[in-house]
Amino acid sequence: MGLGDRIQLLLARLAGRPLNVRQMRGFSVVVDNTRPDIRTEDVLERLDESLALVEQYQPWRLAHLRRDLKHIRVMRFPTRGAYFPEHRACLVELTFLNRRDIGPATVASTIVHEGMHARVHRMGVSSENRDRAHEERICRRAELEFGQALPADIGAPVVERAWASLQLDDQGVAPDIDWAEAMRRQNDIDGMG
């Protein structure tokens, strides 16, 4: 059993439930599916479709992601994507991946965005010395460039969202978020379902 396998077993024990671990397009993908109404295979299929778009239209960016991330984590979280520097992990939110009214290009743009956070972190910018608004704009520009590299019919929503975000002031592009409150609200919503 390799180190990666032992780490995944430890993660499963810590979570108190089995985690689904896969290799996908050069990434270790860890799925923590706490929702019985969501099929793990469906979210993995959507993740693969999204990574395939990055691979096809910006292969150099996928190479950066492979260097900058240790793994991709799929789990319930109160935002569509996040980067956890202490784990060098890109999170893609479980229910976001499960939605079929959102195309794989939008999911891919989230991965590109979080991958830019990873790149900035690997360049030595830490949470203590960073300008959050500047960093968010770097990530949004990467989304914009990715959307522009796609065929117009699938790239348009990515371009529109990135462009709108780039027009915001510093507080708008990098708002302060009370993550404890966001998690509480998410858990309340999940409890109702």
Side-chain angles (χ1 to χ4, degrees):
M1 179 182 302
L3 178 61
D5 295 325
R6 289 195 301 271
I7 290 170
Q8 299 313 322
L9 286 173
L10 175 62
L11 287 172
R13 277 193 222 118
L14 291 173
R17 63 187 160 274
L19 300 178
N20 192 310
V21 181
R22 301 278 175 87
Q23 291 300 309
M24 180 182 294
R25 296 187 188 271
F27 296 97
S28 178
V29 177
V30 180
V31 181
D32 183 4
N33 186 352
T34 56
R35 295 278 301 263
D37 59 321
I38 295 176
R39 290 186 58 237
T40 297
E41 292 306 318
D42 291 345
V43 297
L44 286 168
E45 181 181 309
R46 175 53 58 99
L47 180 61
D48 188 53
E49 291 170 12
S50 304
L51 291 171
L53 287 174
V54 180
E55 188 171 52
Q56 181 177 357
Y57 293 100
Q58 287 190 329
W60 56 270
R61 192 176 299 279
L62 192 68
H64 284 269
L65 288 167
R66 287 178 181 136
R67 281 193 301 268
D68 296 337
L69 298 172
K70 283 192 177 177
H71 71 276
I72 296 174
R73 183 79 184 233
V74 177
M75 61 185 276
R76 199 68 180 97
F77 202 73
T79 186
R80 62 172 55 184
Y83 174 66
F84 298 113
E86 64 277 13
H87 304 290
R88 285 183 43 209
C90 170
L91 172 125
V92 184
E93 204 279 328
L94 179 73
T95 61
F96 173 62
L97 271 173
N98 193 56
R99 289 180 58 179
R100 292 305 182 250
D101 61 323
I102 296 171
T106 299
V107 174
S109 73
T110 297
I111 297 166
V112 165
H113 179 110
E114 300 309 331
M116 285 306 298
H117 283 299
R119 179 138 286 254
V120 168
H121 179 255
R122 295 267 329 261
M123 292 175 146
V125 177
S126 69
S127 58
E128 295 83 36
N129 66 359
R130 74 182 199 179
D131 176 338
R132 288 181 47 240
H134 179 70
E135 186 174 326
E136 279 301 314
R137 286 188 179 95
I138 290 169
C139 298
R140 293 295 181 187
R141 278 193 293 278
E143 284 185 64
L144 179 64
E145 291 169 6
F146 174 68
Q148 290 170 334
L150 296 170
D153 60 322
I154 64 171
V158 173
V159 169
E160 182 180 334
R161 184 172 185 272
W163 182 248
S165 183
L166 286 167
Q167 305 311 304
L168 298 172
D169 65 10
D170 286 358
Q171 179 60 30
V173 77
D176 293 319
I177 298 170
D178 180 343
W179 289 107
E181 177 62 14
M183 289 293 276
R184 186 193 65 72
R185 288 180 183 181
Q186 173 190 284
N187 292 338
D188 287 350
I189 290 167
D190 284 355
M192 286 188 229

